[in-house]
Amino acid sequence: MTTVNSEKLSSARFAHATDAFVEVFTASVDFDKRMAQQDIEGSIAHAKMLTHCGILTEAERDAIIQGLNQISTEIINGEFVWSIQQEDVHMNIEARLTDLIGIAGKKLHTGRSRNDQVATDIRLYLRSEIQQISAQLVRLQTAILNLAEQHADTIMPGFTHLQVAQPITFGHHLMAWFEMLVRDHERLQDCCKRLNVMPLGAAALAGTSYPIDRFMTAELLGFSGPSANSLDSVSDRDFAIEFTAVGSLIMMHLSRFSEELILWSSAQFDFIEMPDAFCTGSSIMPQKKNPDVPELVRGKSGRVTGHLMSLLMLMKSQPLAYNKDNQEDKEPLFDTADTLINCLRAYADMVPHISPKKENMYQSAKRGFATATDLADYLVRKGMAFRDAHEVVGLAVRLGIDTQRDLSEISLAELQTFSTLVTEDVFGFLTLEGSVAARSHIGGTAPNTVKAAIETARLNLN
Ligand code: ARG
């Protein structure tokens, strides 16, 4: 609940009250209250450090900690009364602390400013969101590995230009998705390195004249250390941009993943059966089973990329150091984190229940002359130049189209009319099984190679 009642904290400088609309317009409490627990955590560490440095007494520190813990409970229980007049999460909590413990509450803000405070809160908040995102990402990776393991030798067509290209295994295709997520996970961890630096102590912009110990606060809050420059500390939002950039890549991957699931579950491809629990029907067409979850995820990828653009535009013209513009960083960040957690969760829940229609996949590869390259490679091994082999196979494919047969169904005598290099052993290369088995180098689609890749991936994941 948010009310408009209590008095503003710092109004002595002003002869006139803030315009009522401006008060609402400039307030951020409606959205930044999401960082309340991080704000409290930061304040407790700050109070401990001030006491350690002789700036607060132990009694003041204890009162502050006890008051902040009570506020934390009030917020969790939904009893805390948020006030627009207190503008943001920081001032709301400080005002309540002063209500609860009196003068010691007013001392908490010694040696800090909301500028370093908010920068600290966002970093703490994002750090914990990234942990949740990583956890969902790993769940999805595990689900993909399990499905890939079941289908290391399930044959399907591989595509380029969305035209049948060469046979691959479904397990191999799934492992391509897995690799994208490996990179995403690395990027999240890398982003955390620059995020996990502590701005507190920068105060408004220039640092503080109190004898503070920034290393102590950083350690208490689990940061790798204090930031190096006070101006940069309060104005830097690179970490937010990096996070939304990583998020955009994750969503772009999920969107591509979605696109394939949507295509594959269509009657035209008919490669997979999507789990009922992740689809909905049509209100008018009784035959429909729509892949809503992948469609929605594909759609949501747009908003995350939008947030990345918002943050880049937010920062690009700001002079040093803090500007109120920065208040606009939170909604894109929160929405990016929510969208990532929800989309990854939906995918991690859904993937184990995707069932491939093996026979349809197999027939589709067969219909598409997917082993044409294998025939060309065969002729090259027999001594023909690759470009000539390409021509010969083109003729064989033409015959197959005209007579509605796969390459493996054309007789030896007919194949020999295109090249006398062809002998009986050619059929070992023209089958789909022969084609995938031949690609057994690292990174290839051979079932045994795919199984080895899954094993390595599992070790790396744990
Ligand atoms: N609500 C503000 C924000 O989100 C907190 C910092 C305000 N600092 C200031 N000097 N007005 O950025």
Side-chain angles (χ1 to χ4, degrees):
M1 153 163 93
T2 311
T3 64
V4 183
N5 53 20
S6 45
E7 258 179 48
K8 252 202 144 110
L9 266 182
S10 53
S11 51
R13 186 223 181 280
F14 292 90
H16 303 287
T18 315
D19 176 271
F21 174 70
V22 169
E23 193 159 75
V24 174
F25 182 66
T26 54
S28 55
V29 62
D30 278 343
F31 49 86
D32 65 18
K33 63 185 175 196
R34 273 178 69 148
M35 306 188 303
Q37 297 303 334
Q38 286 74 24
D39 195 70
I40 289 171
E41 192 188 343
S43 289
I44 290 177
H46 182 64
K48 286 181 180 169
M49 181 279 290
L50 290 179
T51 307
H52 177 79
C53 298
I55 302 162
L56 291 182
T57 66
E58 290 185 0
E60 286 165 338
R61 175 198 62 198
D62 294 343
I64 287 171
I65 293 176
Q66 191 241 317
L68 287 171
N69 283 333
Q70 179 178 333
I71 292 170
S72 166
T73 309
E74 288 174 1
I75 293 170
I76 290 167
N77 294 341
E79 292 156 7
F80 191 88
V81 182
W82 298 98
S83 149
I84 289 276
Q85 268 185 311
Q86 295 299 345
E87 195 179 317
D88 57 23
V89 61
H90 324 292
M91 306 236 277
N92 267 273
I93 291 176
E94 193 183 318
R96 175 69 182 141
L97 183 66
T98 303
D99 282 351
L100 286 173
I101 66 166
I103 191 82
K106 295 187 181 181
K107 294 189 177 181
L108 172 63
H109 213 50
T110 312
R112 79 174 181 188
S113 144
R114 275 186 297 156
N115 298 351
D116 57 347
Q117 189 179 356
V118 70
T120 304
D121 291 1
I122 311 171
R123 286 170 188 261
L124 289 173
Y125 183 83
L126 272 188
R127 195 174 70 186
S128 92
E129 294 292 287
I130 288 176
Q131 274 169 11
Q132 293 182 53
I133 294 164
S134 296
Q136 294 297 339
L137 196 70
V138 171
R139 279 188 65 222
L140 173 56
Q141 286 182 295
T142 308
I144 291 175
L145 280 184
N146 293 341
L147 194 63
E149 199 154 52
Q150 292 164 39
H151 296 286
D153 47 19
T154 298
I155 289 176
M156 67 180 287
F159 298 86
T160 59
H161 312 272
L162 206 56
Q163 311 282 326
V164 171
Q166 292 174 343
I168 57 170
T169 59
F170 185 46
H172 194 52
H173 195 113
L174 287 166
M175 289 305 286
W177 288 340
F178 180 87
E179 285 302 317
M180 298 180 201
L181 300 179
V182 170
R183 294 191 293 275
D184 290 333
H185 199 241
E186 283 174 12
R187 272 187 284 265
L188 271 177
Q189 288 172 330
D190 185 58
C191 164
C192 263
K193 284 186 211 150
R194 283 171 296 280
L195 175 122
N196 203 30
V197 172
M198 192 200 64
L200 271 184
L205 79 165
T208 173
S209 54
Y210 296 96
I212 57 170
D213 181 349
R214 298 187 66 216
F215 286 95
M216 177 180 171
T217 326
E219 197 181 323
L220 287 173
L221 292 171
F223 284 113
S224 59
S227 54
N229 178 290
S230 63
L231 269 78
D232 183 48
S233 309
V234 292
S235 73
D236 169 38
R237 294 293 183 273
D238 291 2
F239 66 88
I241 295 172
E242 283 189 48
F243 171 70
T244 43
V246 175
S248 299
L249 279 166
I250 294 175
M251 289 304 297
M252 180 272 283
H253 289 152
L254 291 185
S255 182
R256 296 185 66 185
F257 201 158
S258 297
E259 176 69 7
E260 295 195 326
L261 295 179
I262 293 161
L263 284 172
W264 291 353
S265 62
S266 70
Q268 288 65 34
F269 272 84
D270 206 17
F271 280 5
I272 55 169
E273 185 68 39
M274 288 290 283
D276 285 358
F278 293 82
C279 297
T280 63
S282 156
S283 57
I284 174 168
M285 297 166 283
Q287 84 282 14
K288 294 295 287 291
K289 176 174 161 186
N290 298 326
D292 289 65
V293 170
E295 285 176 337
L296 199 53
V297 168
R298 186 177 58 183
K300 282 181 187 291
S301 65
R303 66 200 279 162
V304 174
T305 306
H307 294 327
L308 168 62
M309 294 305 129
S310 298
L311 292 179
L312 283 166
M313 293 307 105
L314 174 67
M315 297 312 296
K316 81 171 185 60
S317 301
Q318 282 195 47
L320 290 173
Y322 176 87
N323 302 283
K324 183 77 168 177
D325 310 42
N326 281 355
Q327 186 164 293
E328 283 288 297
D329 63 358
K330 288 166 205 65
E331 288 158 295
L333 278 180
F334 296 162
D335 189 66
T336 297
D338 290 347
T339 305
L340 286 170
I341 292 173
N342 291 337
C343 292
L344 287 166
R345 178 192 161 163
Y347 256 82
D349 291 346
M350 178 178 72
V351 164
H353 307 290
I354 295 172
S355 46
K357 297 182 174 177
K358 292 186 181 190
E359 187 53 27
N360 292 355
M361 287 178 161
Y362 191 87
Q363 290 307 329
S364 168
K366 232 177 149 180
R367 273 196 311 275
F369 300 100
T371 57
T373 315
D374 297 273
L375 178 54
D377 290 343
Y378 170 85
L379 292 170
V380 169
R381 276 195 300 275
K382 295 258 170 153
M384 193 180 284
F386 184 78
R387 279 290 157 229
D388 294 334
H390 192 276
E391 275 300 301
V392 167
V393 178
L395 294 171
V397 167
R398 169 88 67 78
L399 176 67
I401 293 170
D402 291 345
T403 58
Q404 296 192 345
R405 284 177 297 170
D406 177 50
L407 288 178
S408 62
E409 291 159 353
I410 297 175
S411 71
L412 181 61
E414 284 170 299
L415 289 173
Q416 283 170 337
T417 63
F418 301 120
S419 168
T420 51
L421 293 174
V422 179
T423 53
E424 183 64 40
D425 63 344
V426 74
F427 295 105
F429 299 92
L430 292 185
T431 60
L432 299 176
E433 289 78 2
S435 174
V436 293
R439 287 160 172 79
S440 58
H441 52 77
I442 183 158
T445 193
N448 283 337
T449 309
V450 172
K451 282 177 196 146
I454 293 168
E455 209 170 299
T456 309
R458 228 185 255 291
L459 287 174
N460 291 339
L461 199 59
N462 297 324

